[in-house]
Amino acid sequence: MDFNTEVLKYKDDFLKDLNTLVSYESVRDESTKAENAPFGKNCRDVLDAMLDMAKRDGFEAKDIDGYAGVVEYGQGEETFGVLGHLDIVPLGEGWTKDPLKVTLENGYIFGRGVMDDKGPALAGYYALKMIRDLNIPLKKRVMLITGCDEESGMECMNYYVDHAEVPQMGFVPDANFPVIYGEKGGLHVGLVSSDATVIKKLHAGSRPNIVIGKADVTVDVMSYQQEDLFKFYCATQGVKGSIKRSEDGVTLHIDGAFAHAAMPYNGVNAAVLLLNFIGEAYDDQLSKDLYFLLKDWMGKPVGIEKDGLYMSFLTMNTGIVNMGNNETDILIDIRYPNDTNADEIMAKFDAACANLTSNIKAENRGDSKPLFVDPDSRLVKDLMSVYQKYTGDTFSCPITIGGGTYARKFENFVSYGPELPNEVIETDVFVGGCHQRDEGIKLDNLLQAICIYADAIVTLCS
Protein backbone atom coordinates (compact mmCIF):
# COMPACT_ATOMS: atom_id res chain seq x y z
CA MET A 1 0.00 0.00 0.00
CA ASP A 2 1.42 3.39 -1.00
CA PHE A 3 0.50 5.49 2.01
CA ASN A 4 2.62 8.38 0.66
CA THR A 5 0.10 8.88 -2.12
CA GLU A 6 -2.96 8.24 0.03
CA VAL A 7 -2.01 10.76 2.73
CA LEU A 8 -2.15 13.67 0.27
CA LYS A 9 -5.91 13.10 -0.05
CA TYR A 10 -6.24 13.89 3.67
CA LYS A 11 -3.94 16.93 3.87
CA ASP A 12 -6.60 19.66 3.87
CA ASP A 13 -8.88 17.82 6.31
CA PHE A 14 -5.92 17.11 8.59
CA LEU A 15 -4.97 20.79 8.76
CA LYS A 16 -8.58 21.79 9.38
CA ASP A 17 -8.96 19.31 12.23
CA LEU A 18 -5.58 20.28 13.70
CA ASN A 19 -6.60 23.92 13.69
CA THR A 20 -9.70 22.94 15.65
CA LEU A 21 -7.62 21.18 18.31
CA VAL A 22 -5.04 23.97 18.48
CA SER A 23 -7.77 26.58 19.02
CA TYR A 24 -8.32 25.29 22.56
CA GLU A 25 -5.97 26.65 25.24
CA SER A 26 -6.01 23.27 26.90
CA VAL A 27 -3.79 23.99 29.91
CA ARG A 28 -4.81 22.28 33.14
CA ASP A 29 -7.02 24.73 35.05
CA GLU A 30 -8.18 23.83 38.55
CA SER A 31 -10.47 26.88 38.68
CA THR A 32 -12.80 25.36 36.06
CA LYS A 33 -12.59 21.78 37.30
CA ALA A 34 -15.97 20.01 37.32
CA GLU A 35 -17.59 16.60 37.06
CA ASN A 36 -16.18 14.83 33.97
CA ALA A 37 -13.78 17.77 33.57
CA PRO A 38 -11.02 16.90 36.06
CA PHE A 39 -8.49 19.22 34.39
CA GLY A 40 -10.77 22.14 33.64
CA LYS A 41 -13.08 23.36 30.91
CA ASN A 42 -10.58 23.79 28.08
CA CYS A 43 -9.19 20.28 28.48
CA ARG A 44 -12.76 18.96 28.54
CA ASP A 45 -13.60 20.93 25.40
CA VAL A 46 -10.60 19.75 23.39
CA LEU A 47 -11.34 16.15 24.37
CA ASP A 48 -14.92 16.60 23.17
CA ALA A 49 -13.61 18.00 19.90
CA MET A 50 -11.42 14.94 19.40
CA LEU A 51 -14.24 12.53 20.20
CA ASP A 52 -16.62 14.43 17.93
CA MET A 53 -14.18 14.05 15.04
CA ALA A 54 -14.07 10.31 15.63
CA LYS A 55 -17.87 10.04 15.74
CA ARG A 56 -18.13 12.18 12.60
CA ASP A 57 -15.87 9.71 10.81
CA GLY A 58 -17.78 6.64 12.01
CA PHE A 59 -15.45 5.39 14.74
CA GLU A 60 -16.47 4.06 18.11
CA ALA A 61 -15.45 6.72 20.64
CA LYS A 62 -15.38 6.44 24.42
CA ASP A 63 -15.05 9.12 27.08
CA ILE A 64 -13.10 7.94 30.14
CA ASP A 65 -14.70 10.42 32.58
CA GLY A 66 -12.90 13.40 31.07
CA TYR A 67 -9.46 11.98 31.81
CA ALA A 68 -8.95 10.53 28.34
CA GLY A 69 -10.72 9.46 25.18
CA VAL A 70 -10.52 6.19 23.25
CA VAL A 71 -11.09 5.74 19.52
CA GLU A 72 -11.31 2.06 18.52
CA TYR A 73 -11.06 0.22 15.24
CA GLY A 74 -11.13 -3.50 14.51
CA GLN A 75 -12.04 -6.64 16.40
CA GLY A 76 -10.26 -9.24 18.49
CA GLU A 77 -8.89 -10.02 21.91
CA GLU A 78 -5.38 -8.81 21.10
CA THR A 79 -4.97 -5.04 21.35
CA PHE A 80 -2.57 -2.41 20.06
CA GLY A 81 -2.43 1.16 21.33
CA VAL A 82 -1.43 4.59 20.08
CA LEU A 83 -1.19 7.11 22.93
CA GLY A 84 -1.24 10.89 22.49
CA HIS A 85 -2.18 13.90 24.59
CA LEU A 86 -4.35 16.94 23.97
CA ASP A 87 -3.21 19.19 26.81
CA ILE A 88 -0.47 21.80 26.32
CA VAL A 89 1.97 23.83 28.38
CA PRO A 90 1.11 27.52 28.94
CA LEU A 91 1.37 29.65 25.81
CA GLY A 92 4.29 31.71 27.11
CA GLU A 93 5.50 34.99 25.66
CA GLY A 94 7.20 36.26 22.54
CA TRP A 95 5.07 34.57 19.87
CA THR A 96 5.16 36.15 16.42
CA LYS A 97 2.11 34.14 15.35
CA ASP A 98 -1.22 33.32 16.96
CA PRO A 99 -0.44 30.37 19.27
CA LEU A 100 -4.08 29.22 19.14
CA LYS A 101 -4.26 28.98 15.38
CA VAL A 102 -2.44 26.79 12.86
CA THR A 103 -0.29 29.02 10.66
CA LEU A 104 1.38 27.60 7.54
CA GLU A 105 4.51 29.47 6.45
CA ASN A 106 7.38 28.31 4.22
CA GLY A 107 6.32 24.69 4.55
CA TYR A 108 6.12 24.75 8.36
CA ILE A 109 3.05 24.84 10.58
CA PHE A 110 3.02 26.83 13.80
CA GLY A 111 0.82 26.85 16.90
CA ARG A 112 0.94 25.60 20.47
CA GLY A 113 0.63 21.84 20.30
CA VAL A 114 1.41 21.28 16.61
CA MET A 115 4.46 19.31 17.76
CA ASP A 116 3.63 18.56 21.40
CA ASP A 117 1.31 16.78 21.03
CA LYS A 118 -1.89 17.66 19.19
CA GLY A 119 -0.27 17.36 15.77
CA PRO A 120 1.30 13.93 16.39
CA ALA A 121 -1.81 12.62 18.21
CA LEU A 122 -3.95 13.67 15.25
CA ALA A 123 -1.39 12.04 12.94
CA GLY A 124 -2.04 8.79 14.79
CA TYR A 125 -5.76 9.31 14.32
CA TYR A 126 -5.42 9.96 10.58
CA ALA A 127 -3.23 6.87 10.24
CA LEU A 128 -6.09 4.84 11.69
CA LYS A 129 -8.57 6.67 9.47
CA MET A 130 -6.58 5.79 6.32
CA ILE A 131 -6.42 2.13 7.33
CA ARG A 132 -10.16 2.00 7.85
CA ASP A 133 -10.99 3.89 4.66
CA LEU A 134 -8.79 1.49 2.69
CA ASN A 135 -10.42 -1.54 4.35
CA ILE A 136 -7.06 -3.00 5.36
CA PRO A 137 -7.73 -6.10 7.51
CA LEU A 138 -6.17 -6.20 10.99
CA LYS A 139 -5.91 -9.07 13.45
CA LYS A 140 -5.74 -6.80 16.49
CA ARG A 141 -8.08 -4.19 17.87
CA VAL A 142 -6.43 -0.77 17.66
CA MET A 143 -7.05 1.78 20.41
CA LEU A 144 -6.12 5.43 19.91
CA ILE A 145 -6.01 6.93 23.41
CA THR A 146 -5.80 10.68 23.96
CA GLY A 147 -5.18 12.00 27.47
CA CYS A 148 -5.62 15.45 28.97
CA ASP A 149 -2.92 15.81 31.63
CA GLU A 150 0.43 14.74 30.19
CA GLU A 151 2.13 18.07 30.87
CA SER A 152 1.14 18.27 34.54
CA GLY A 153 1.93 14.82 35.91
CA MET A 154 0.02 12.28 33.79
CA GLU A 155 -2.80 11.94 36.29
CA CYS A 156 -4.99 11.13 33.28
CA MET A 157 -3.09 7.92 32.54
CA ASN A 158 -2.95 6.92 36.20
CA TYR A 159 -6.75 7.10 36.18
CA TYR A 160 -6.99 5.34 32.83
CA VAL A 161 -4.94 2.37 34.04
CA ASP A 162 -7.31 1.92 36.97
CA HIS A 163 -10.57 2.38 35.04
CA ALA A 164 -10.17 1.31 31.41
CA GLU A 165 -8.69 -1.34 29.16
CA VAL A 166 -4.93 -1.16 28.70
CA PRO A 167 -3.57 -2.18 25.27
CA GLN A 168 -1.04 -4.99 25.23
CA MET A 169 1.58 -3.10 23.23
CA GLY A 170 1.95 0.05 21.17
CA PHE A 171 3.68 3.36 20.64
CA VAL A 172 3.47 7.00 21.66
CA PRO A 173 3.77 9.68 18.93
CA ASP A 174 5.19 12.30 21.28
CA ALA A 175 8.96 12.36 20.89
CA ASN A 176 11.54 11.43 18.26
CA PHE A 177 12.20 8.95 15.50
CA PRO A 178 13.48 6.36 14.91
CA VAL A 179 12.38 4.54 18.13
CA ILE A 180 12.77 5.48 21.79
CA TYR A 181 13.02 2.32 23.87
CA GLY A 182 14.05 3.99 27.12
CA GLU A 183 13.08 7.10 29.10
CA LYS A 184 14.85 8.46 32.13
CA GLY A 185 13.13 8.35 35.47
CA GLY A 186 11.41 11.54 36.59
CA LEU A 187 11.85 12.77 40.16
CA HIS A 188 10.42 15.97 41.63
CA VAL A 189 12.37 17.30 44.59
CA GLY A 190 11.13 20.10 46.82
CA LEU A 191 13.47 22.39 48.74
CA VAL A 192 11.87 24.15 51.72
CA SER A 193 13.20 26.60 54.27
CA SER A 194 11.98 29.16 56.80
CA ASP A 195 15.32 30.95 57.09
CA ALA A 196 15.42 34.73 56.92
CA THR A 197 16.36 36.34 53.60
CA VAL A 198 16.50 39.81 52.08
CA ILE A 199 14.20 38.57 49.36
CA LYS A 200 10.71 40.01 49.83
CA LYS A 201 9.25 38.20 46.85
CA LEU A 202 10.46 35.80 44.18
CA HIS A 203 7.75 33.85 42.38
CA ALA A 204 8.94 32.33 39.13
CA GLY A 205 8.15 29.37 36.89
CA SER A 206 4.85 27.86 35.82
CA ARG A 207 5.75 24.18 35.37
CA PRO A 208 8.59 22.05 36.72
CA ASN A 209 9.25 20.73 33.21
CA ILE A 210 10.15 24.17 31.82
CA VAL A 211 13.38 26.09 32.39
CA ILE A 212 12.46 29.44 33.99
CA GLY A 213 13.01 31.92 31.19
CA LYS A 214 11.96 35.09 33.02
CA ALA A 215 12.05 35.99 36.71
CA ASP A 216 11.63 38.94 39.08
CA VAL A 217 12.93 39.34 42.62
CA THR A 218 11.94 42.14 45.00
CA VAL A 219 14.11 43.49 47.83
CA ASP A 220 13.66 46.48 50.14
CA VAL A 221 16.59 48.60 49.02
CA MET A 222 19.35 48.75 46.44
CA SER A 223 22.37 51.00 46.55
CA TYR A 224 23.78 52.62 43.44
CA GLN A 225 26.84 50.41 43.83
CA GLN A 226 24.58 47.32 43.82
CA GLU A 227 22.74 48.72 40.81
CA ASP A 228 26.00 49.03 38.88
CA LEU A 229 26.97 45.55 40.04
CA PHE A 230 23.67 44.13 38.71
CA LYS A 231 24.25 45.69 35.30
CA PHE A 232 27.76 44.26 35.23
CA TYR A 233 26.48 40.85 36.38
CA CYS A 234 23.87 40.68 33.60
CA ALA A 235 26.51 41.63 31.04
CA THR A 236 28.87 38.89 32.21
CA GLN A 237 26.05 36.32 32.10
CA GLY A 238 24.95 37.37 28.62
CA VAL A 239 21.37 38.17 29.71
CA LYS A 240 19.16 41.24 29.74
CA GLY A 241 18.16 42.71 33.10
CA SER A 242 16.19 45.66 34.39
CA ILE A 243 15.56 47.47 37.66
CA LYS A 244 12.27 49.00 38.80
CA ARG A 245 11.93 51.08 41.96
CA SER A 246 8.53 51.51 43.65
CA GLU A 247 6.91 51.98 47.05
CA ASP A 248 7.07 48.22 47.54
CA GLY A 249 10.84 48.12 47.11
CA VAL A 250 13.20 47.39 44.25
CA THR A 251 12.38 44.71 41.68
CA LEU A 252 15.13 43.13 39.60
CA HIS A 253 14.19 41.36 36.38
CA ILE A 254 16.23 38.95 34.25
CA ASP A 255 15.36 37.54 30.83
CA GLY A 256 16.88 34.09 30.53
CA ALA A 257 15.81 31.47 27.99
CA PHE A 258 12.95 28.96 28.20
CA ALA A 259 13.65 25.32 27.36
CA HIS A 260 12.34 21.82 28.07
CA ALA A 261 13.46 20.49 31.45
CA ALA A 262 14.82 17.36 29.78
CA MET A 263 17.40 19.62 28.11
CA PRO A 264 18.11 22.37 30.66
CA TYR A 265 21.43 23.09 28.95
CA ASN A 266 19.42 24.63 26.10
CA GLY A 267 17.95 27.24 28.44
CA VAL A 268 19.09 29.94 30.85
CA ASN A 269 17.39 29.81 34.25
CA ALA A 270 16.58 33.39 35.21
CA ALA A 271 15.53 32.54 38.78
CA VAL A 272 18.79 30.72 39.55
CA LEU A 273 20.76 33.69 38.19
CA LEU A 274 18.83 36.03 40.48
CA LEU A 275 19.57 33.83 43.50
CA ASN A 276 23.26 34.03 42.67
CA PHE A 277 23.20 37.82 42.43
CA ILE A 278 21.20 38.37 45.61
CA GLY A 279 23.39 35.95 47.50
CA GLU A 280 26.63 37.73 46.62
CA ALA A 281 25.48 41.38 46.29
CA TYR A 282 23.49 41.30 49.55
CA ASP A 283 25.53 38.63 51.37
CA ASP A 284 22.30 36.66 51.74
CA GLN A 285 23.18 33.21 53.08
CA LEU A 286 19.97 31.43 52.08
CA SER A 287 20.29 32.66 48.49
CA LYS A 288 23.95 31.57 48.45
CA ASP A 289 23.09 28.08 49.67
CA LEU A 290 20.17 27.69 47.28
CA TYR A 291 22.33 28.75 44.37
CA PHE A 292 24.99 26.23 45.42
CA LEU A 293 22.42 23.42 45.23
CA LEU A 294 20.81 24.60 42.00
CA LYS A 295 23.59 26.09 39.89
CA ASP A 296 24.61 22.96 37.96
CA TRP A 297 22.15 21.21 35.64
CA MET A 298 23.95 17.89 36.20
CA GLY A 299 23.64 18.19 39.98
CA LYS A 300 27.38 18.01 40.68
CA PRO A 301 27.33 20.14 43.88
CA VAL A 302 24.69 17.78 45.29
CA GLY A 303 26.70 14.73 44.22
CA ILE A 304 23.92 13.25 42.06
CA GLU A 305 25.68 13.45 38.68
CA LYS A 306 25.41 10.18 36.78
CA ASP A 307 26.27 9.20 33.20
CA GLY A 308 24.13 6.16 32.47
CA LEU A 309 25.11 3.20 30.32
CA TYR A 310 21.90 3.30 28.23
CA MET A 311 20.32 6.66 29.06
CA SER A 312 23.26 9.05 29.28
CA PHE A 313 23.52 11.72 31.97
CA LEU A 314 21.18 12.88 34.72
CA THR A 315 19.68 16.36 34.29
CA MET A 316 18.30 18.77 36.87
CA ASN A 317 16.03 21.78 36.30
CA THR A 318 14.78 24.36 38.79
CA GLY A 319 11.19 24.70 37.59
CA ILE A 320 9.25 26.67 40.22
CA VAL A 321 10.54 29.11 42.85
CA ASN A 322 8.32 30.64 45.54
CA MET A 323 9.94 32.89 48.16
CA GLY A 324 8.30 35.46 50.41
CA ASN A 325 7.71 36.24 54.10
CA ASN A 326 10.80 34.16 54.91
CA GLU A 327 9.15 31.05 53.50
CA THR A 328 10.83 29.23 50.64
CA ASP A 329 9.49 26.43 48.46
CA ILE A 330 11.34 25.36 45.31
CA LEU A 331 10.42 22.52 42.95
CA ILE A 332 13.16 20.75 40.98
CA ASP A 333 12.64 18.42 38.01
CA ILE A 334 15.26 15.65 37.78
CA ARG A 335 15.57 13.17 34.88
CA TYR A 336 17.75 10.22 35.90
CA PRO A 337 19.09 7.16 34.05
CA ASN A 338 18.27 3.63 35.17
CA ASP A 339 21.74 3.33 36.73
CA THR A 340 20.44 5.17 39.81
CA ASN A 341 17.13 5.64 41.65
CA ALA A 342 15.11 8.12 43.68
CA ASP A 343 16.31 6.81 47.05
CA GLU A 344 19.96 7.34 46.11
CA ILE A 345 19.26 10.84 44.81
CA MET A 346 17.28 11.88 47.90
CA ALA A 347 20.01 10.55 50.21
CA LYS A 348 22.55 12.76 48.47
CA PHE A 349 20.26 15.79 48.68
CA ASP A 350 19.89 15.18 52.41
CA ALA A 351 23.65 14.96 52.82
CA ALA A 352 24.27 18.11 50.77
CA CYS A 353 21.65 20.08 52.72
CA ALA A 354 23.12 18.92 56.04
CA ASN A 355 26.45 20.54 55.11
CA LEU A 356 24.93 23.97 54.39
CA THR A 357 24.80 26.95 56.74
CA SER A 358 21.12 27.49 55.99
CA ASN A 359 18.39 25.17 57.19
CA ILE A 360 17.09 23.67 53.93
CA LYS A 361 15.17 20.41 53.73
CA ALA A 362 14.73 18.25 50.63
CA GLU A 363 11.44 16.44 49.97
CA ASN A 364 10.50 13.72 47.51
CA ARG A 365 7.47 15.19 45.71
CA GLY A 366 6.94 12.29 43.31
CA ASP A 367 8.88 9.70 41.34
CA SER A 368 8.24 8.07 37.98
CA LYS A 369 10.56 5.14 37.40
CA PRO A 370 12.49 4.80 34.12
CA LEU A 371 11.03 3.10 31.05
CA PHE A 372 13.08 0.36 29.41
CA VAL A 373 11.98 -1.95 26.57
CA ASP A 374 14.40 -4.50 25.12
CA PRO A 375 15.85 -2.89 21.97
CA ASP A 376 15.96 -6.38 20.41
CA SER A 377 12.20 -6.93 20.87
CA ARG A 378 9.84 -7.41 17.92
CA LEU A 379 8.13 -4.11 18.75
CA VAL A 380 11.32 -2.09 18.44
CA LYS A 381 12.66 -3.99 15.42
CA ASP A 382 9.42 -3.73 13.43
CA LEU A 383 9.04 -0.03 14.18
CA MET A 384 12.64 0.53 13.11
CA SER A 385 12.01 -1.32 9.86
CA VAL A 386 8.98 0.81 9.00
CA TYR A 387 10.84 4.02 9.84
CA GLN A 388 13.73 3.02 7.56
CA LYS A 389 11.32 2.11 4.76
CA TYR A 390 9.85 5.62 4.63
CA THR A 391 12.92 7.72 5.41
CA GLY A 392 15.78 5.72 3.91
CA ASP A 393 17.67 6.41 7.13
CA THR A 394 19.60 3.23 8.00
CA PHE A 395 22.18 5.07 10.09
CA SER A 396 20.10 6.22 13.07
CA CYS A 397 19.62 3.67 15.83
CA PRO A 398 17.05 3.22 18.62
CA ILE A 399 17.66 5.73 21.40
CA THR A 400 16.75 6.73 24.95
CA ILE A 401 15.65 10.20 26.08
CA GLY A 402 15.32 12.37 29.14
CA GLY A 403 11.73 13.36 28.40
CA GLY A 404 8.84 11.46 29.86
CA THR A 405 5.92 10.24 27.73
CA TYR A 406 2.85 8.09 28.26
CA ALA A 407 4.97 5.07 27.25
CA ARG A 408 6.19 4.75 30.84
CA LYS A 409 2.63 4.20 32.06
CA PHE A 410 1.95 1.00 30.07
CA GLU A 411 3.90 -2.20 29.58
CA ASN A 412 5.60 -2.86 26.23
CA PHE A 413 5.18 0.68 24.85
CA VAL A 414 7.80 2.89 23.21
CA SER A 415 7.92 6.43 21.86
CA TYR A 416 7.89 6.80 18.08
CA GLY A 417 8.33 10.17 16.34
CA PRO A 418 7.41 12.55 14.92
CA GLU A 419 10.67 14.56 15.14
CA LEU A 420 13.37 13.34 12.78
CA PRO A 421 16.97 12.87 13.91
CA ASN A 422 19.39 15.63 12.91
CA GLU A 423 16.60 17.62 11.30
CA VAL A 424 17.80 20.82 9.61
CA ILE A 425 15.43 23.80 9.60
CA GLU A 426 14.89 24.75 5.95
CA THR A 427 13.52 28.25 6.45
CA ASP A 428 14.80 31.57 7.76
CA VAL A 429 11.65 31.85 9.88
CA PHE A 430 12.22 30.94 13.53
CA VAL A 431 10.79 27.50 14.30
CA GLY A 432 10.39 26.89 18.02
CA GLY A 433 10.59 23.49 19.66
CA CYS A 434 8.44 21.88 22.33
CA HIS A 435 7.42 24.34 25.07
CA GLN A 436 9.00 27.26 23.17
CA ARG A 437 7.49 30.28 21.44
CA ASP A 438 6.48 29.80 17.80
CA GLU A 439 6.32 26.02 18.29
CA GLY A 440 6.44 24.51 14.82
CA ILE A 441 7.08 21.48 12.66
CA LYS A 442 7.58 20.88 8.95
CA LEU A 443 4.23 19.91 7.45
CA ASP A 444 5.75 17.27 5.16
CA ASN A 445 7.36 15.61 8.17
CA LEU A 446 4.00 15.38 9.93
CA LEU A 447 2.34 13.95 6.82
CA GLN A 448 5.17 11.44 6.53
CA ALA A 449 4.59 10.52 10.18
CA ILE A 450 0.97 9.67 9.33
CA CYS A 451 2.25 7.23 6.71
CA ILE A 452 4.79 5.72 9.10
CA TYR A 453 2.17 5.29 11.82
CA ALA A 454 -0.29 3.68 9.41
CA ASP A 455 2.31 1.24 8.11
CA ALA A 456 3.49 0.45 11.65
CA ILE A 457 -0.06 -0.35 12.78
CA VAL A 458 -0.58 -2.62 9.79
CA THR A 459 2.80 -4.31 10.30
CA LEU A 460 2.27 -5.02 13.97
CA CYS A 461 -1.45 -5.85 13.78
CA SER A 462 -1.59 -8.10 10.67
Side-chain angles (χ1 to χ4, degrees), residues 250-265:
V250 183
T251 298
L252 312 181
H253 174 85
I254 283 182
D255 289 320
F258 294 99
H260 196 293
M263 296 161 283
Y265 42 81

Side-chain angles (χ1 to χ4, degrees), residues 18-206:
L18 181 57
N19 188 66
T20 297
L21 297 181
V22 169
S23 70
Y24 295 95
E25 191 174 352
S26 48
V27 178
R28 179 168 177 163
D29 180 10
E30 297 291 333
S31 68
T32 57
K33 179 178 179 180
E35 184 178 0
N36 291 321
F39 310 116
K41 182 180 185 302
N42 284 342
C43 287
R44 174 70 257 182
D45 288 347
V46 75
L47 179 60
D48 284 337
M50 183 73 239
L51 295 176
D52 286 344
M53 289 177 193
K55 294 173 184 176
R56 172 201 69 195
D57 295 334
F59 285 103
E60 180 182 352
K62 299 177 182 177
D63 174 16
I64 312 301
D65 303 327
Y67 286 83
V70 182
V71 178
E72 288 194 5
Y73 173 68
Q75 304 293 326
E77 294 297 320
E78 292 187 272
T79 52
F80 186 89
V82 179
L83 313 181
H85 69 88
L86 301 174
D87 62 309
I88 56 173
V89 297
L91 302 181
E93 302 176 356
W95 284 76
T96 63
K97 302 166 180 65
D98 187 343
L100 297 179
K101 179 181 178 181
V102 172
T103 300
L104 176 61
E105 184 174 347
N106 292 357
Y108 288 78
I109 55 173
F110 300 87
R112 179 60 88 214
V114 295
M115 180 189 292
D116 184 22
D117 180 49
K118 293 176 179 179
L122 192 64
Y125 172 77
Y126 265 79
L128 198 59
K129 181 176 168 63
M130 279 202 304
I131 292 170
R132 192 213 48 191
D133 291 349
L134 293 167
N135 294 312
I136 299 175
L138 302 177
K139 295 180 180 178
K140 295 181 181 180
R141 181 161 42 94
V142 182
M143 304 167 64
L144 174 75
I145 303 170
T146 51
C148 297
D149 184 45
E150 196 271 352
E151 300 289 2
S152 302
M154 303 190 190
E155 183 183 339
C156 53
M157 283 303 110
N158 293 336
Y159 185 92
Y160 184 93
V161 169
D162 291 336
H163 295 84
E165 182 181 10
V166 175
Q168 295 163 325
M169 68 184 314
F171 63 80
V172 178
D174 187 21
N176 304 77
F177 284 126
V179 180
I180 296 171
Y181 65 91
E183 298 177 2
K184 294 176 185 176
L187 174 64
H188 284 174
V189 176
L191 298 179
V192 296
S193 177
S194 296
D195 283 13
T197 172
V198 300
I199 293 176
K200 292 183 63 177
K201 182 173 63 174
L202 199 175
H203 301 296
S206 58

Side-chain angles (χ1 to χ4, degrees), residues 223-381:
S223 69
Y224 289 111
Q225 182 181 13
Q226 288 169 323
E227 184 173 330
D228 289 339
L229 184 60
F230 180 68
K231 294 176 182 177
F232 177 74
Y233 175 72
C234 290
T236 61
Q237 298 299 317
V239 297
K240 292 183 179 180
S242 61
I243 301 170
K244 181 179 180 181
R245 298 178 182 272
S246 67
E247 294 180 357
D248 296 328
V250 183
T251 298
L252 312 181
H253 174 85
I254 283 182
D255 289 320
F258 294 99
H260 196 293
M263 296 161 283
Y265 42 81
N266 287 336
V268 178
N269 200 304
V272 174
L273 289 180
L274 284 172
L275 286 171
N276 184 28
F277 177 78
I278 296 297
E280 298 303 325
Y282 287 83
D283 194 26
D284 187 75
Q285 189 62 49
L286 179 60
S287 296
K288 287 182 179 181
D289 287 341
L290 288 171
Y291 177 72
F292 173 79
L293 295 174
L294 303 173
K295 64 182 179 180
D296 182 66
W297 60 262
M298 295 183 76
K300 291 179 181 177
V302 185
I304 61 174
E305 71 272 17
K306 179 72 70 172
D307 191 0
L309 181 63
Y310 285 98
M311 300 184 178
S312 189
F313 43 78
L314 175 149
T315 62
M316 185 176 89
N317 174 61
T318 303
I320 299 177
V321 178
N322 285 307
M323 300 179 69
N325 299 318
N326 291 331
E327 293 294 332
T328 295
D329 191 300
I330 294 175
L331 186 58
I332 306 166
D333 182 299
I334 294 174
R335 313 293 174 100
Y336 62 89
N338 57 350
D339 308 73
T340 186
N341 57 62
D343 290 339
E344 288 183 0
I345 294 171
M346 292 307 305
K348 291 182 178 181
F349 261 101
D350 291 341
C353 289
N355 289 326
L356 300 174
T357 302
S358 304
N359 181 25
I360 300 173
K361 300 295 183 185
E363 302 173 346
N364 184 333
R365 299 269 178 91
D367 175 44
S368 179
K369 293 179 173 54
L371 161 75
F372 187 83
V373 174
D374 185 352
D376 289 325
S377 66
R378 183 202 166 189
L379 175 62
V380 174
K381 286 187 172 182

